[in-house]
Amino acid sequence: VSASAPIVVLDSGLGGLTVVRALMEAGPNEQILYFGDTARLPYGNKTGETVSGFVRQMIAYLLPWRPKQVIIACNTASALALPGVRGEFPGLAITGVIEPGAKAAAAAGGAKQAPCIGIIATEATIRSKAYDRAIHRRRNYAKLLLRPTPLLVPMIEEGRKADDPVVRLAMKQYLQPFARHPLDVMVLGCTHYPIYKNLIQEMLGPHVSVIDSARQCAEDVTRRLASHGLLRPVMKMQGNPGDAAPADGASGNLRCFVTDDPARFQRLAPRFLNREIDPPILVRPQELYAREPMPLGETA
Ligand code: DGL
């Protein structure tokens, strides 16, 4: 694996861009290949078998770029597909967002013996119990309150902002049950949700630590790449003492692939990234199915 190789980031749609933004802040010279499976979103109401198939196809499609790291920037896909997909691509570094989110939540519980930790996520993530296991491994006595919030992903993908009355109403209903408990921490267990982080913080109050699994994941990956000498090297430019550029000449950048409506993705992406993106490349699902890798053990 080479330090100049790209980082692959996958999600069902726009949500994983919250991880991309944090990655760009942590390692601004990296080349990132982002795949948003916009034709088959949402993942949150689908089965593990279906979601694992989608994830496997996207990784197989981007494999020729020889990535140094694959990030499944989707809690649902991390919960349902990560162990299986790791087994199917031995030798490829694949990481998810649940472990980093759980780690940050456990730490945010502070000195309390039994912190009260809320988790909002898709139905599939809640059903998988992946967060329960990952948090309880670190904090045995944590009291967990989990609630699926399935309307949030479609509202975010529709481009609805946090001040939209429909968003506020849905959020109020979803967060109401948490108010009956002395909540210490709230985990945003879906990479789409950081878009509404301020609204969630406002509704829960300042005493609740709101944890963003996207940020924690990006920081963990950057730290791990740095410790293995795999961050893209930076070279000082001669004559411009303050300037720095990657040693291989190209600067860090982002290339997006989507399975439907590239124009829509390009229009909505700046809300997540705070910058414009180049037109995404359309890869139709038919193309992904046609390239489907053979399951391990089967021969043609
Ligand atoms: N960003 C995905 C997650 O973190 C959304 C899943 C969906 O498409 O429903 O779970």
Side-chain angles (χ1 to χ4, degrees):
V1 192
S2 113
S4 54
I7 300 174
V8 159
V9 182
L10 313 171
D11 181 41
S12 58
L14 292 155
L17 291 176
T18 55
V19 176
V20 171
R21 181 172 178 172
L23 269 179
M24 286 173 147
E25 283 164 13
N29 297 309
E30 297 302 320
Q31 279 192 302
I32 298 170
L33 304 176
Y34 184 86
F35 209 135
D37 195 4
T38 46
R40 301 183 290 191
L41 162 140
Y43 282 3
N45 54 8
K46 297 191 170 65
T47 62
E49 198 184 341
T50 298
V51 172
S52 299
F54 295 166
V55 171
R56 184 193 309 130
Q57 289 175 344
M58 291 190 284
I59 296 178
Y61 184 87
L62 293 177
L63 214 49
W65 277 267
R66 298 179 173 278
K68 60 185 173 189
Q69 176 75 51
V70 173
I71 303 177
I72 301 184
C74 171
N75 285 263
T76 309
S78 301
L80 302 181
L82 187 55
V85 166
R86 269 190 183 138
E88 289 172 49
F89 297 94
L92 185 61
I94 308 180
T95 188
V97 277
I98 302 246
E99 284 297 320
K103 188 173 104 186
K112 278 198 180 177
Q113 213 212 351
C116 186
I117 302 178
I119 296 145
I120 51 171
T122 66
E123 286 170 5
T125 301
I126 302 283
R127 213 179 333 112
S128 74
K129 298 204 184 302
Y131 266 108
D132 314 43
R133 286 193 296 271
I135 295 177
H136 275 149
R137 215 181 318 122
R138 297 173 166 94
R139 300 289 293 249
N140 290 347
Y141 301 110
K143 187 168 175 330
L144 304 186
L145 304 163
L146 294 101
R147 264 187 79 81
T149 47
L151 289 176
L152 300 187
V153 168
M155 289 193 304
I156 293 163
E157 289 282 334
E158 241 186 51
R160 286 183 187 260
K161 304 223 166 94
D163 58 2
D164 184 306
V166 178
V167 173
R168 290 190 75 92
L169 182 66
M171 197 65 87
K172 199 163 162 232
Q173 292 237 359
Y174 280 146
L175 297 182
Q176 224 152 32
F178 292 101
R180 290 195 288 274
H181 303 271
L183 203 63
D184 299 300
V185 179
M186 173 61 92
V187 181
L188 307 184
C190 171
T191 50
H192 281 72
Y193 300 173
I195 279 285
Y196 295 151
K197 187 173 181 181
N198 291 345
L199 175 65
I200 293 168
Q201 184 78 67
E202 174 201 315
M203 286 189 172
L204 291 174
H207 57 283
V208 178
S209 309
V210 178
I211 301 295
D212 168 350
S213 60
R215 176 154 301 279
Q216 184 68 40
C217 169
E219 285 169 7
D220 282 3
V221 165
T222 306
R223 206 175 310 119
R224 192 147 18 92
L225 289 175
S227 73
H228 288 87
L230 284 176
L231 281 184
R232 199 141 169 258
V234 175
M235 172 179 81
K236 288 272 179 231
M237 304 255 271
Q238 278 186 350
N240 297 316
D243 290 353
D248 56 7
S251 59
N253 61 41
L254 170 67
R255 196 149 148 203
C256 295
F257 301 77
V258 294
T259 44
D260 195 20
D261 208 343
R264 185 167 203 279
F265 188 92
Q266 189 182 12
R267 181 162 41 83
L268 292 173
R271 275 193 65 201
F272 290 77
L273 289 172
N274 221 7
R275 53 171 267 190
E276 303 290 327
I277 62 163
D278 291 337
I281 296 151
L282 177 64
V283 183
R284 295 215 178 269
Q286 300 87 295
E287 200 181 323
L288 294 176
Y289 286 108
R291 292 178 179 216
E292 178 104 31
M294 276 296 168
L296 281 182
E298 277 184 35
T299 47

